[in-house]
Amino acid sequence: MTDLLTIGETMVSLRTARPMRLGGDAHLSIAGSESNVAIGVSRLGHQVAWLGAVGNDEPGRLIQRTLRAEGVDTSWLRFSDESFTGFIAFDQPSHDITRVSYHRRGSAGSTLTSAECLTALQAASPRLLHVTGITPALSGSTRAAVLDVVRAASDSDVRVSLDVNYRARLWSRTEATALRELLPYVHTVFASDDELDILTDASEPVRDLLTSGTAEVVVTAGGKGARAHTEAGTIHRPALPVTVVDSIGAGDAFVSGYLSATLDNLSPESRLDRATTSGAFCVTATGDWESLPTRTDLTLLTHSQGT
Ligand code: CKP
Ligand code: MG
């Protein structure tokens, strides 16, 4: 049985430790919000599947191999002969600045269809389905696919989570309000404080989302920690005091900790604890997912922080 199914685009990533235009050594890996979450939840001991399309090329095979090595089920991954695997470049113009550029328009990942998402949902029969606001921004086909799969999941009592993950390089904030069409089918929303207005025009966005039927609204505030809102009340957890080396992927790490604790039927407090601990691990090293914790790692960080 699959605990979690995630759906989205995974790209190859190329990372340099100095301005890319100078050439030199680069580190090749993979990146993608939904597969970051898949890896995080898999490392925490759950059965996870990821669905996406990649090119029938070596970057596509790197993605398949990496996810398999992390224990993620890639049974429904599609290799496309018509399009290429997208790529994301991270370079470092100065010590504290990471510049991100996408090379993904027309990529295989943007050709994902409703039919393949519905097939994977039915075959995997997961307890949870996780999607992000990145996928609907990629193309008309991916937008329809995400809407169809969250609706089908909700109809079959599969709990759906949505991470807003607003990306200004993919669409405007006004265009991103398209994510509101997903809300009737979403159980848990993850958003940062400054993303809530994408989901609602209400002056009290969290209250509005809860009264409109979202069961959990989890709001992240970087170094200030995170809040989980439900009809039962609000819980806050501070961020763990670690040295931040690279914050890319921290949101996905947070989500993976939260979803893992959900799968373990833990309390809202414990869900936030595991989420903030996973997030803390992720920011302590370079890479979108490489430093995500295992279960044993979780205990180590908690002990070393004396909490
Ligand atoms: O919100 P996060 O920093 O956790 O997301 C990082 C991921 O999918 C990263 O892996 C990148 O590939 C992306 O978000 C994206 O498409 O921007
Ligand atoms: Mg994020």
Side-chain angles (χ1 to χ4, degrees), residues 251-289:
D252 302 328
F254 177 92
V255 168
S256 62
Y258 196 91
L259 294 181
S260 158
T262 301
L263 288 164
D264 286 344
N265 299 314
L266 298 186
S267 67
E269 288 82 358
S270 303
R271 296 203 284 272
L272 269 191
D273 280 343
R274 192 174 290 178
T276 47
T277 308
S278 295
F281 263 97
C282 182
V283 300
T284 55
T286 305
D288 298 24
W289 53 269

Side-chain angles (χ1 to χ4, degrees), residues 163 165 167 251-252:
D163 182 350
N165 260 345
R167 297 290 185 263
D252 302 328

